[in-house]
Amino acid sequence: MSALLKWPITARDSLPLALWSAREIAAATGGEANGAFQVSGVEMDSRDVRPGDLFVALKGEAMDGHCFVDAAFAKGAAAALVSEPVDGPHVLVADTTEALEALANAARGRAEAVRIGVTGSVGKTGVKEAIFAALDRSSRGAAHRSVRSYNNHVGVPLSLARMPARSKFGVFEMGMNHAGEISGLTAQAKPHVAVVTTIAPAHIENLGSMEAIADAKSEIFAGLVEGGTAVIPADSEYFERLKSHAEKSGAKVVSFGRADHADVRLLDAIPMSHGGTLVTATLGDARLCFTVAEPGDHWISNALCVVAAVRAAGGDLGAAGLALAEMGGLKGRGARHRIGAPGGNALLIDESYNANPASMRATLRQLGQTPATRRVAVLGSMKELGDFAAKFHAQLAEPIYEAKVDFAVLVGEEMRALARELGKPSAHPLGNPLTFAHCNSPDEAIEQLEEYGITAGDAVLVKGSNSIGLGALITHFVGREI
């Protein structure tokens, strides 16, 4: 009891526990409140509404959220943010999209949270989750982050609007398809720390070159608060380009990686029996030894990035190490399932949410390092590669053979280029026979795998762009009964 009485009281303790009140929403948005209420969350999809949420009725080109206000109230919404009068508690505004952005600005202004923005061609969601896990642990639950991949012009303000007033840290993912998009997102988040995980040929169809991709990702530095920190990959071919952009924005630059000039530099990486890695890194004035639970060389780089970002944000490095040791794979981004198979269990690796040439190579490399009786790769088309598509798909033949894949299922039109490459007699390395099949849909891929016959000891990697729909294959095999 005496310890509780001595618990330190801070100014943050006087802040409201409810996320927003009707008065606060009206003041932030310039709207008119109808009814007195408090909300515990903010949601824009009526299907995801939980009791106590504020439902934001956004108007899009194809859908008007006002059509779903009744559904939101039926699911327990406490109020709605609308531009048309409705039955039930609400705040009436001129434009709900602008009102959501205003609510996001108010949330950012009232919380004294250190904000971290995360972007990059590969790994941004996993890095965002790991940074959050570290900061949430050290702040005793006072960290906030964007959920799922809410990283666009709607997802970022929504994530900001959900940030409680008592938050000590906020971690926000920022994505893009075209130049100029991240500029708008970073202007909203105004991060204290801006992270670029890596530069790879994702969205090259829209941007045209790797240099343009690096420039577009560098837009995140322009939104940094004065005295902010840019965390960038030291091993990237575009390190100097990223560094130049960061310095022009007045940022302090902190780099991570294996390169000798890295500020957070890998000293040693020892593979562990469960697939993770024991990592030793130097931070210049200190050394840190920790376990990375997630398998794969790419997660060593991610872990160094997380350590650099947590330190820049003033977080606890010990908590970062513990968080990395406990990280599990995310749905569609590395989740591992033991599925029933004749004779026992097989391993199913779910990387079905996204794919580009760099992440394809990284996950195939990890598949090759995974102990297995047979290795199977189900690979879906990589999107937004434009004129580079055939080249990048065909180049996957090399990592497939290096991973000693026994059977490859290629799904989608763009994968025809890889099928042609694998079909060449000269493509078959001596002593490494490979069978493959090309499919047009996930249903056909399921049929191919069922015909092939997954058995105990097999390792099956499923990876492709989300639009290919390989999540259906994951659902099928995780839910089937043997």
Side-chain angles (χ1 to χ4, degrees):
M1 183 66 180
S2 59
L4 289 175
L5 292 174
K6 294 178 181 178
W7 189 268
I9 302 298
T10 67
R12 184 176 279 103
D13 294 316
S14 63
L15 294 171
L17 289 171
L19 183 62
W20 295 104
S21 68
R23 180 182 58 80
E24 290 167 337
I25 297 170
T29 62
E32 180 181 347
N34 184 301
F37 56 83
Q38 292 183 326
V39 300
S40 55
V42 182
E43 185 53 69
M44 62 180 181
D45 189 329
S46 61
R47 295 168 296 184
D48 295 332
V49 165
R50 292 178 296 182
D53 279 350
L54 170 72
F55 174 64
V56 183
L58 297 176
K59 287 187 176 182
E61 294 181 2
M63 200 70 68
D64 184 349
H66 292 80
C67 297
F68 304 96
V69 170
D70 289 343
F73 279 129
K75 293 199 70 174
L81 184 62
V82 294
S83 58
E84 303 169 7
V86 297
D87 292 332
H90 64 271
V91 173
L92 184 64
V93 297
D95 184 293
T96 50
T97 298
E98 292 179 0
L100 177 60
E101 293 174 356
L103 197 61
N105 291 336
R108 188 192 65 235
R110 70 177 181 175
E112 297 178 0
V114 176
R115 297 177 298 279
I116 302 96
V118 182
T119 192
S121 302
V122 182
K124 53 184 175 289
T125 300
V127 166
K128 177 257 297 180
E129 290 293 326
I131 293 172
F132 165 75
L135 296 175
D136 199 52
R137 178 188 290 267
S138 64
S139 66
R140 295 191 180 98
H144 171 76
R145 95 300 204 172
S146 51
V147 298
R148 304 178 189 172
S149 289
Y150 281 7
N151 59 19
N152 62 9
H153 66 287
V154 175
V156 170
L158 179 67
S159 299
L160 279 163
R162 290 171 166 176
M163 183 166 62
R166 298 186 178 205
S167 298
K168 295 181 180 178
F169 298 98
V171 192
F172 303 96
E173 182 178 336
M174 300 179 194
M176 45 74 71
N177 293 315
H178 297 82
E181 289 180 313
I182 288 182
S183 289
L185 304 180
T186 191
Q188 291 177 339
K190 297 187 185 301
H192 298 84
V193 180
V195 176
V196 176
T197 59
T198 191
I199 302 297
H203 314 302
I204 198 168
E205 175 184 20
N206 301 324
L207 291 157
S209 70
M210 294 294 292
E211 289 78 11
I213 292 172
D215 292 343
K217 296 297 184 183
S218 295
E219 293 171 13
I220 193 172
F221 306 137
L224 277 167
V225 300
E226 185 176 354
T229 302
V231 177
I232 62 176
D235 303 326
S236 173
E237 178 182 351
Y238 305 95
F239 168 74
E240 291 296 339
R241 198 178 192 95
L242 294 170
K243 181 181 177 182
S244 176
H245 281 297
E247 290 177 340
K248 286 178 182 177
S249 297
K252 174 187 176 183
V253 176
V254 174
S255 61
F256 63 91
R258 290 173 165 81
D260 291 341
H261 63 267
D263 298 301
V264 178
R265 180 166 55 88
L266 179 70
L267 294 179
D268 195 21
I270 302 174
M272 303 183 72
S273 58
H274 59 73
T277 310
L278 181 65
V279 170
T280 304
T282 177
L283 287 69
D285 58 346
R287 286 192 178 187
L288 188 64
C289 185
F290 56 94
T291 298
V292 180
E294 285 291 282
D297 190 65
H298 56 297
W299 257 102
I300 297 173
S301 177
N302 286 350
L304 298 173
C305 178
V306 170
V307 169
V310 169
R311 193 183 207 198
D316 183 270
L317 293 180
L322 291 171
L324 288 164
E326 295 177 356
M327 277 288 289
L330 304 174
K331 180 181 179 181
R333 294 183 172 89
R336 294 187 160 214
H337 304 278
R338 291 289 173 181
I339 60 173
N345 290 324
L347 173 64
L348 182 64
I349 305 170
D350 179 10
E351 289 276 0
S352 61
Y353 187 81
N354 202 3
N356 58 52
S359 63
M360 277 284 197
R361 286 178 174 271
T363 50
L364 282 167
R365 188 181 306 116
Q366 178 55 35
L367 177 64
Q369 296 169 355
T370 301
T373 304
R374 299 180 303 177
R375 297 183 179 90
V376 178
V378 182
L379 306 178
S381 294
M382 301 178 290
K383 297 297 186 177
E384 298 186 10
L385 295 177
D387 294 339
F388 300 89
K391 171 186 173 183
F392 282 129
H393 282 83
Q395 287 177 345
L396 293 178
E398 180 183 359
I400 285 174
Y401 283 118
E402 289 178 349
K404 295 182 172 58
V405 171
D406 296 283
F407 181 49
V409 181
L410 314 177
V411 188
E413 180 61 31
E414 293 87 346
M415 276 292 169
R416 290 188 185 278
L418 177 55
R420 288 192 294 269
E421 189 67 25
L422 294 177
K424 295 178 180 178
S426 59
H428 295 262
L430 186 64
N432 185 26
L434 167 69
T435 56
F436 69 91
H438 180 260
C439 304
N440 293 314
S441 70
D443 287 342
E444 291 181 26
I446 291 171
E447 291 177 7
Q448 287 288 340
L449 283 182
E450 292 285 16
E451 183 177 340
Y452 181 71
I454 302 301
T455 59
D458 288 349
V460 184
L461 167 66
V462 181
K463 186 166 182 66
S465 291
N466 190 43
S467 60
I468 301 300
L470 292 181
L473 186 146
I474 298 294
T475 300
H476 172 83
F477 282 96
V478 170
R480 73 172 184 170
E481 296 182 0
I482 297 297

